[in-house]
Amino acid sequence: MLDHEIESLEEFDDVVEATGSLSGWRLQSLDLRGRDGALASAETDGAVFLGCAMSAESVVRVQENGGLVFPPVPKLPFNPYRGRLYTPEELFSGLAEGYENTPDAGSYAWFRRTKSDGDVFSSMLRAVHDDAISDALDEQLVGARVVGVMGGHKLARGSAAYAGAARLGRALTREGHTVATGGGPGAMEAANLGAYAAPFEDGMLDKALEMLSTAPSFEESVGEWARAAFAVRDGWPGGGVSVGIPTWFYGHEPPNAFAQHIAKYFVNAVREDGLLARSNAGVVFLPGAAGTVQEIFDNATPNYYQSRGAPTPMVLVDEEHWTRTLPCWPLLRALAGERPMASRIALAGSVEEVPETLARLRG
């Protein structure tokens, strides 16, 4: 598929210099106020400018020549036309002055004010933003073998289960997979932490777990919880890459700082379906509650009907949890029956069994 998007000034300059035309291109969130000359000389018929800062003269000229301009939206805590995924540093900018002063908190506050006001403009902004995030996520994951790791947000730092989820993320990343999680706290953070720890010596993860245990839960203080994570990152910069896919729908759950790339959505249904659909190398379900149960069967349905192609592996971890506490495994196995997905589901006793189990199910 051809890429018709220009997302940096370098790309803009290269295209204009090479072809003299922007026709057919989609330009996202560029500051073009210093490119009046290039905009005046280039063909712009059929070009679409999404949230680009431009001089008034350039806007008029582009429109007269057949281009379409969607101007930046003022006074928003987020950019609906963004061309790239978020970073933890971006979402937590201003954390030193309190979490409530960060772009993440500001976007959640905007969402709470507008989600039920019936304003079609607010609805449009959310939809445009989430579609732009999906596009950026697909670009980030081109060619990646993605393993989704699902699990409860209440899993506390300092617990054995948290450490186990972190070891799992590390093992999967070292095998060449891209770990993708719901991007929040608990088991999600632990798996992203493990991915971040993958390039370092094994002892690094033990030290990181000890540092994080001083702020076990975001519920006490989001600021202290996040600062502990950034302290780990500062101590070991340049960690492994993983993806977090959180949502402002659950805005009380902050994103974690260990996912290098964050695809944060307003619409939770789009976020959940997108996370599972992009987990092309399988999904691991750690112990969780209602949200994780929903994700199990959200993933089972396309595997059952093969609506996304051949079924992908599903591994439920912790026999006690998934057969007695929340008995999803018997239902999942009965649902699979004699269908092709039956050979792609498994119940693992511990996180240590997961990499081998995934490999067997894929084989």
Side-chain angles (χ1 to χ4, degrees):
M1 183 176 65
L2 294 177
D3 181 7
H4 291 289
E5 297 164 11
I6 297 177
E7 298 168 342
S8 71
L9 289 176
E10 290 75 18
E11 288 179 282
F12 175 89
D13 292 338
D14 289 344
V15 169
V16 172
E17 182 179 353
T19 69
S21 175
L22 295 168
S23 296
W25 288 91
R26 281 75 176 106
L27 297 87
Q28 287 181 260
S29 300
L30 302 181
D31 188 346
L32 298 174
R33 288 171 292 187
R35 299 296 194 277
D36 286 343
L39 290 169
S41 63
E43 296 180 16
T44 56
D45 183 38
V48 180
F49 295 77
L50 300 168
C52 295
M54 303 162 63
S55 69
E57 293 79 7
S58 288
V59 171
V60 171
R61 188 179 297 112
V62 164
Q63 291 175 329
E64 288 178 343
N65 292 331
L68 190 60
V69 178
F70 292 81
V73 182
K75 299 181 180 179
L76 275 182
F78 62 94
N79 176 7
Y81 303 113
R82 60 181 302 117
R84 303 185 185 281
L85 298 180
Y86 293 100
T87 65
E89 292 82 359
E90 180 181 3
L91 287 175
F92 284 104
S93 176
L95 181 64
E97 286 73 47
Y99 173 68
E100 65 277 5
N101 296 302
T102 65
D104 187 60
S107 297
Y108 177 47
W110 177 88
F111 176 59
R112 292 186 66 185
R113 288 195 307 270
T114 63
K115 65 179 180 179
S116 301
D117 63 8
D119 183 358
V120 67
F121 183 57
S122 298
S123 299
M124 184 199 74
L125 291 174
R126 291 194 293 270
V128 170
H129 170 274
D130 285 2
D131 190 67
I133 288 294
S134 290
D135 182 67
L137 183 58
D138 286 336
E139 292 172 356
Q140 178 63 41
L141 295 178
V142 169
R145 293 185 297 154
V146 182
V147 173
V149 180
M150 314 296 152
H153 72 274
K154 286 188 173 294
L155 190 64
R157 294 167 172 176
S159 67
Y162 184 97
R167 291 194 301 272
L168 172 62
R170 184 177 64 182
L172 292 172
T173 304
R174 286 177 173 176
E175 287 187 348
H177 295 99
T178 296
V179 169
T181 77
M188 298 172 280
E189 180 190 53
N192 288 128
L193 165 64
Y196 188 88
F200 303 106
E201 77 288 346
D202 287 355
M204 173 269 176
L205 182 56
D206 295 330
K207 295 174 184 175
L209 291 169
E210 183 178 353
M211 291 172 63
L212 292 172
S213 68
T214 61
S217 172
F218 71 95
E219 293 175 331
E220 301 283 334
S221 166
V222 174
E224 292 301 317
W225 176 84
R227 279 188 281 272
F230 280 108
V232 170
R233 289 181 48 129
D234 290 343
W236 292 273
V241 172
S242 66
V243 175
I245 308 180
T247 173
W248 281 295
F249 183 81
Y250 297 129
H252 61 286
E253 297 178 21
N256 75 73
F258 294 110
Q260 302 275 47
H261 304 287
I262 300 176
K264 192 152 191 179
Y265 287 85
F266 287 107
V267 180
N268 186 50
V270 175
R271 165 254 192 173
E272 285 200 345
D273 185 70
L275 170 55
L276 295 168
R278 290 172 175 85
S279 297
N280 54 20
V283 184
V284 180
F285 298 92
L286 301 174
T292 311
V293 171
Q294 178 181 344
E295 288 161 346
I296 289 173
F297 293 102
D298 279 348
N299 197 51
T301 300
N303 279 345
Y304 181 89
Y305 289 110
Q306 299 189 68
S307 55
R308 295 178 184 145
T312 51
M314 297 177 64
V315 181
L316 279 61
V317 181
D318 191 322
E319 182 176 356
E320 175 71 22
H321 187 82
W322 293 123
T323 62
R324 296 177 182 84
T325 305
L326 294 173
C328 293
W329 173 249
L331 178 55
L332 181 63
R333 187 170 56 181
L335 182 69
E338 297 181 0
R339 301 180 75 88
M341 71 175 287
S343 63
R344 299 294 181 97
I345 64 173
L347 179 64
S350 67
V351 292
E352 284 73 24
E353 300 174 24
V354 169
E356 182 180 350
T357 303
L358 279 172
R360 172 172 57 81
L361 295 180
R362 285 194 298 267

